[in-house]
Amino acid sequence: MSDFDDIDLAALSNEDLVAQMHDDLYDGLGDEIVEGTTILLDRGWGPDKVLQRSEEHTSELQSPCNLVCRLLLE
């Protein structure tokens, strides 16, 4: 069991969850990105907010997290 398995994404605050999703993306943890996106949507976040917050965690205009979230939300 890795350290990643120990993280309960649903227990994280919104800010911590977005930061964790960014880290997970760069670690190649696609399932965790899907889970995190689903949690945020279930918490009432609209797709635009999920995408906006993912961009705030990187300086790139087309961040990898943004692209993944766009694909998940289509």
Side-chain angles (χ1 to χ4, degrees):
M1 179 181 267
S2 72
D3 289 337
F4 299 112
D5 294 332
D6 296 335
I7 297 172
D8 180 4
L9 296 178
L12 297 176
S13 69
N14 291 341
E15 291 295 318
D16 289 342
L17 179 55
V18 171
Q20 182 62 48
M21 289 171 60
H22 184 260
D23 292 344
D24 290 345
L25 177 67
Y26 287 100
D27 290 335
L29 302 174
D31 290 342
E32 284 77 1
I33 298 298
V34 172
E35 181 182 355
T37 300
T38 301
I39 290 167
L40 290 173
L41 292 171
D42 288 346
R43 290 180 181 177
W45 282 40
D48 291 344
K49 186 173 181 179
V50 173
L51 294 173
Q52 176 189 13
R53 297 298 299 170
S54 68
E55 285 182 334
E56 290 176 7
H57 284 271
T58 183
S59 61
E60 300 170 21
L61 182 59
Q62 288 294 331
S63 71
C65 194
N66 181 308
L67 296 174
V68 169
C69 289
R70 283 186 192 277
L71 290 173
L72 292 172
L73 296 171
E74 288 182 355

